[in-house]
Amino acid sequence: MNEGLRSELSKQGIFTTTLGDLYNWGRKNSVWPLQFGLACCAIEMIATTMARYDLARFGAEVFRPSPRQADLMIVAGTVTKKMAPQVVRLYNQMPEPKYVIAMGACAISGGPFKQGYNVLKGIDRFIPVDVHIPGCPPRPEALIHAFMTLQKKIETQQLTGVNRPRHLDAEAPSEFPVPKFGGHDLEPPNNPAVWHAPKLVREP
Amino acid sequence: MNQPDPYLVIVVFLVAATLFAVAPLLLAWIWARTFSPRKPGPDKNAIYECGLESKGDAWVQFRSEYYLYGIIFLIFDVETIFLLPFAVAFTKLPVGAFIAMMVFLLLLVEGLVWAWRKGVLKWS
């Protein structure tokens, strides 16, 4: 059905939709985050859920204390190398469909603690991140914006085809390898299926 | 004469209620079978869900000696909770309530005497 016909019908008071759109509409408005904060960004995350910023408007006020009931992992704060295996394991324990928001400079890159010997330089080295939020810490508005970005992403995902979400793809892995806390670094230091070191291109 | 059975409404209601409960579950099941492939895994199927690996078995056995702690807890903690309102309302209580409380106290004091003679109260 083309857009013209759809808008023509909606002028006559007839609402048309597709199964995929209906599915995604339900999915994007009932994303339940995992109740899980790592550092100071978590305070901003808490503020986002409270009355002033009111994440409940987006259907996401129910922070679940168990990964079994959560759809979204908000990695809010510095991920230390000791904590990284637990984060990945929690991600593995979440049922499909699941999404990840990396909140704050630490979660996306290590942030101000990047030079620290025990800080993971971005959780996207181990699990696929859908939305990155810069900031130290990001304001609640930034988290809400990230949330809306995620909703837009969910909205555009098709039931079939290349653009389908991971949980509808039989080929996509169900679990990501959990790194071990080794003597000097995490073993392996990153998941090559998810992350590649950026290539430096030098201008001649 | 041809009145339907008055209980027919209940039967209709039961059928409708069952359908109302089962239909969404069935729909979700059919949806899952049609679209989303099953993806179990060792982490996902783990018993414990706090991020740490579970150690040992879920079928932990407790030592039967813990009944001693149970008895001592009853005597020194639970009894106090009952004694306080008993003491507050003591002057207004009928004789029956007093006797019932005394029986209750006697039962627990019996346990205390038994634990004392057994040497449980000795700190060693």
Side-chain angles (χ1 to χ4, degrees), chain B residues 49-100:
Chain B
E49 50 190 49
C50 82
L52 296 167
E53 265 178 311
S54 45
K55 280 181 186 154
D57 201 9
W59 290 83
V60 184
Q61 290 185 334
F62 288 96
R63 290 164 68 89
S64 60
E65 278 86 350
Y66 280 116
Y67 79 97
L68 285 175
Y69 293 94
I71 288 172
I72 302 292
F73 177 75
L74 268 182
I75 292 167
F76 290 111
D77 268 38
V78 179
E79 195 181 359
T80 322
I81 297 169
F82 286 106
L83 272 180
L84 188 72
F86 173 67
V88 169
F90 185 72
T91 49
K92 288 166 216 141
L93 282 181
V95 183
F98 176 75
I99 292 170

Side-chain angles (χ1 to χ4, degrees), chain A residues 66 68 89 166 169 175, chain B residues 39 43-44 46 48-49 51:
Chain A
S66 161
R68 311 272 194 228
R89 200 172 285 119
R166 230 163 42 80
D169 188 358
E175 293 190 356
Chain B
K39 287 183 192 171
D43 267 356
K44 209 179 261 180
Y48 205 42
E49 50 190 49

